[in-house]
Amino acid sequence: MSDLLYSEEEEALRAAVRDLLTDHCDAPGVIARTESGTPHHLALWKALTDGMGLAGLLVPEELDGQGATHREAAVVLEELGRAVAPVPYLTSAVVATEALLACGTDDLLRDLATGTTIGALAVALNVAPGAAYRVVRHEDGLLHGELTGIADAAVADVLLVPADDGGLYAVDATTATVTPQTSLDLTRPLATVTLDGVPGRLLGDAEPAVRRALRAGAGLLASEQFGLAEWTLTETVRYLKERKQFNRPVGGFQAIKHRLAQLWLEVVNTRAAARNAADALANGDDVDMAVTVAQAYAAPVAVHAAEAALQLHGGIGMTWEHPVHLYLKRAKADSIAYGTAGAHREALAALADLRAP
């Protein structure tokens, strides 16, 4: 049995990432970016990748990566979730990187590991691991078709596109037409990718690469959801200690205490499920089971925590200036990313050989 507690190195990594985000990713700045039409914080991405080497955590050292594991990547995602940081970490450093690792594409892995290139897997964000996904037509060496719901495609340099011949192709993003879609979560925008007879470089078989990438995405998304839920709970408790009604702190009322205690239990359980998924991905032990459990549990908890934060902040929580709406939108979008909780429960029932309700 693996030790799911955080190691000293993981805590040091957390502290470094949190310090960076405190300095460069404050809530008013994130809100301002969502209004600007260019929500991605590329200066922060550069600091995370160039300065700290975090894009290469899952890439072996001989390919200019850090040679770390999914456990370290999970710690980074917890902190990015706490800050709803608008950077393509999950999509490029985890999902696209895992697809390339499955194909053994060394040169592109080097580019992604150093952060000089941002990658995006051209599979809709709502597709669960093992589910069907849309492909484009491969004809006479060129790719034709349209793919929707592609997260962070707006900042991708290379798109990893599955085609109808069973191959996964690397496409230079400048040759594709990337059209922004209206996204609920303004910090992880979606786009439509249109390929009108563009060349692509064959990387390998799409099916195993996409499955591996989406499984890692689903498993590590739970760490982002935990970070998000923990932040909303902590902020809500802090606010309720300060906010007074009838001349006493609102947090002192029994009904509020009970509600927060229940939420705290849910958040702590989410941490356990997310850590277990990250550890399973790192060690290759019973991965499908760990990932489906984590996603089935984490998605509703993150939404519940964000909804409670919005309600318990009262009038101020309803304002655009207060960041809680960023967390609620991210939690809602995350709850359908890489498969809904219901889809993961069904997958879990099949894995455990039980009939789903």
Side-chain angles (χ1 to χ4, degrees), residues 80-244:
L80 294 176
R82 285 179 62 91
V84 277
V87 291
Y89 191 85
L90 184 66
T91 46
S92 183
V94 176
V95 176
T97 296
E98 285 277 352
L100 292 174
L101 285 166
C103 296
T105 318
D106 291 358
D107 59 329
L108 268 177
L109 276 168
R110 276 198 174 86
D111 294 342
L112 259 64
T114 53
T116 53
T117 295
I118 296 172
L121 180 67
V123 171
L125 183 63
N126 65 317
V127 174
Y133 50 87
R134 287 179 69 176
V135 296
V136 298
R137 196 170 85 253
H138 182 261
E139 191 177 305
D140 300 330
L142 298 176
L143 301 169
H144 308 257
E146 183 179 275
L147 300 163
T148 55
I150 312 302
D152 294 334
V155 285
D157 302 298
V158 62
L159 298 163
L160 309 180
V161 181
D164 58 3
D165 64 348
L168 186 68
Y169 290 84
V171 172
D172 179 345
T174 58
T175 65
T177 305
V178 178
T179 313
Q181 289 179 246
T182 303
S183 308
L184 174 66
D185 177 9
L186 302 170
T187 60
R188 184 178 283 143
L190 306 178
T192 297
V193 172
T194 308
L195 305 176
D196 192 8
V198 303
R201 170 186 156 201
L202 181 62
L203 303 173
D205 290 341
E207 186 63 41
V210 170
R211 183 174 171 74
R212 174 175 170 170
L214 296 183
R215 188 173 71 171
L220 293 184
L221 178 66
S223 291
E224 178 186 291
Q225 290 164 320
F226 161 64
L228 187 155
E230 188 184 47
W231 184 92
T232 53
L233 176 61
T234 305
E235 274 301 300
T236 304
V237 169
R238 187 184 64 75
Y239 175 77
L240 293 176
K241 283 179 177 175
E242 294 171 0
R243 177 91 170 98
K244 287 192 166 61

Side-chain angles (χ1 to χ4, degrees), residues 24 32 40 57 74 84 88 116 120 142 164 191 256 282 313 324 330:
H24 296 286
H40 290 98
L57 286 180
V84 277
T116 53
L142 298 176
D164 58 3
I256 300 281
H313 272 81
V324 72
R330 173 65 71 89

